[in-house]
Amino acid sequence: MGWQFRKSFRPLPGIRLTLSKSGISTSVGVGPLRFTASPRRSSFTANIPGTPLSFHQSLPSPSTPDVGSRYPSSTPVPAPIPVANSDLEDIRSSGSGVLTTPGLAEFKRLVEQARREHGEITRELVGAHTQEQRSVGKYTRWNNGWVLRRIFQTRFQQLAATAEEAVARREELQEQEGLARLNTQIEMPKIVSQAFHRMCDEFSLLAKSARIWDTVGQRRTNRIAERTTATRTIAREPVSFRVGKCDVIESEWNVPHLANANGGDIFFYPAFVLYFISPEAFALLEYKEVDLTYSPTGFIETGTVPPDSKVVGQTWVKTNKDGSPDRRFKGNYQIPVVQYGEFVFKSTTGMNEEYMVSNAGQAEAFNKSWKHFVDAVRSVA
C-alpha cells in the first residue's frame, strides 16, 4: 500500500550565489529552469535538454534605493545606548532587521522561506515519531502474544494497518525534511577562493589565543580626576573564536565564527558576512559594506597577563600627569601595560563590534589575511 500525506509539498531547489564584477547574484532553480536575481536586474532562463536551444527573459526588478541614499556617508551610525546603571557607552550593532545589505536581500528572503518550511516539517516529524512508536509498539505487543491476535483478528489487522501507516508517514516526512533544506552553493573566482582559505587558516591560529574578549562598553577617562594614564575605560566579556557552521545556512563550508557577548554571532562565509542571533533574526552583509580596523593596543592589565601576550611597559594604579606614582595614595603599586590586538568591525548598515585578542602577533597576521581576502572580493565585485 502506498501513502502520500503532503500533496502540496514541493522540494526546495538549491540556491547558488555567484560572485562576479556585476556583484552578488542569487540563482534558484532545478534542471533546465533557473531564476536569477542580482542588484541590477532579474531574469528567467530555460534550457531545452539535449539541444543548444534556450530561452532567456529579463524581468522587472522592484526599485530598491541604493546604499548611499539609505545610509548617506555623511550620516553617522546611531550613537550607542548607555548601559543601564553605568557611565559606559554600549558597543553593539543595530538590529538584525536593518543590517542586511541590498545585494543579499533576495538570498535572505529565500533562506527565511526555507526555514519556515523546514520548521513546519520538523514539527510534524516529531509528532510522527511519537505516533510511530505508539502504533508500532502496540502492534508488536499483540503480535508477540498469542491470545489477542487470534481472538480479535479484525482488531489485530487494524493495528497492523495503523502501524504501517505511521511508519510510512514518518518515512515520508523524514524524506521531506531533507528536501526542505535550502542547500547553498557559492561560486567564486580562484583568487577569492585561495584568499578565503588563507584567511581561514590564519583565523584558526587566532582562535587559539589564550584570551579573547568582546568589548561591550567604553568611555573616555578623566585622566586628571582618575589619576591614570589610560585614555579609555572599557568593559569586556570573554568569548571564543572557532571554525564551524551556522544552522541557518545549509552549506558544506566550515567558516570563521566569532561569538558575541551582547548581540549576534558573526560568521565569515566566502561571499557574505552572516550576523546571527537566531533562525528568525539574522542579517547578511556584503564584504564591500564591512570595514575592519585593526590596531595593536596597550592595555593596563589589572588581571592575570595571558601567556601569549607581551608586557610593553609598567604604570601605577594612581599616577601623576608625567606618569610617576601619585604618592598621596597609600599602597600605590605598579601594574603592567600589555600589548593586545584590537579589531573593530563596522558597516554602513549599522554593524558595530569590537574585539580584543591576547596574541597581538597572530591578530596582525589575521588582519593581513582579511585585507587580502576583501581586496580579492572587491576586485571581482
Side-chain angles (χ1 to χ4, degrees), residues 92-138:
R92 65 186 308 161
S93 299
S94 301
S96 61
V98 300
L99 284 178
T100 295
T101 50
L104 290 166
E106 176 64 15
F107 177 46
K108 182 185 178 185
R109 184 190 68 79
L110 292 168
V111 171
E112 290 173 331
Q113 175 187 341
R115 293 295 302 182
R116 287 192 296 269
E117 177 71 20
H118 184 264
E120 178 185 344
I121 294 175
T122 299
R123 288 189 292 272
E124 290 188 34
L125 183 57
V126 171
H129 272 292
T130 302
Q131 182 61 41
E132 179 188 21
Q133 292 175 350
R134 185 183 299 116
S135 300
V136 172
K138 189 169 186 178

Side-chain angles (χ1 to χ4, degrees), residues 331-365:
N332 196 6
Y333 59 92
Q334 278 190 313
I335 48 179
V337 179
V338 183
Q339 187 176 71
Y340 293 144
E342 186 177 74
F343 297 106
V344 179
F345 294 94
K346 290 183 178 291
S347 77
T348 55
T349 55
M351 174 174 278
N352 182 30
E353 303 294 342
E354 185 174 322
Y355 292 93
M356 186 177 289
V357 181
S358 61
N359 191 331
Q362 188 55 48
E364 184 174 0

Side-chain angles (χ1 to χ4, degrees), residues 141-180:
R141 289 192 297 272
W142 277 55
N143 189 50
N144 291 339
W146 185 86
V147 177
L148 292 178
R149 66 188 176 91
R150 285 172 171 77
I151 297 177
F152 302 102
Q153 294 183 12
T154 301
R155 175 58 177 159
F156 179 65
Q157 292 174 357
Q158 292 174 346
L159 291 177
T162 301
E164 181 184 358
E165 181 177 351
V167 171
R169 182 170 186 270
R170 189 268 306 162
E171 289 177 344
E172 181 176 322
L173 285 169
Q174 196 161 339
E175 180 182 0
Q176 292 172 0
E177 187 271 339
L179 294 172

Side-chain angles (χ1 to χ4, degrees), residues 15 17 107 111 182-186 249-253 272:
I15 183 169
L17 294 181
F107 177 46
V111 171
L182 187 66
N183 184 52
T184 300
Q185 298 177 357
I186 300 175
I249 302 293
E250 290 293 333
S251 172
E252 62 183 8
W253 292 92
F272 55 85

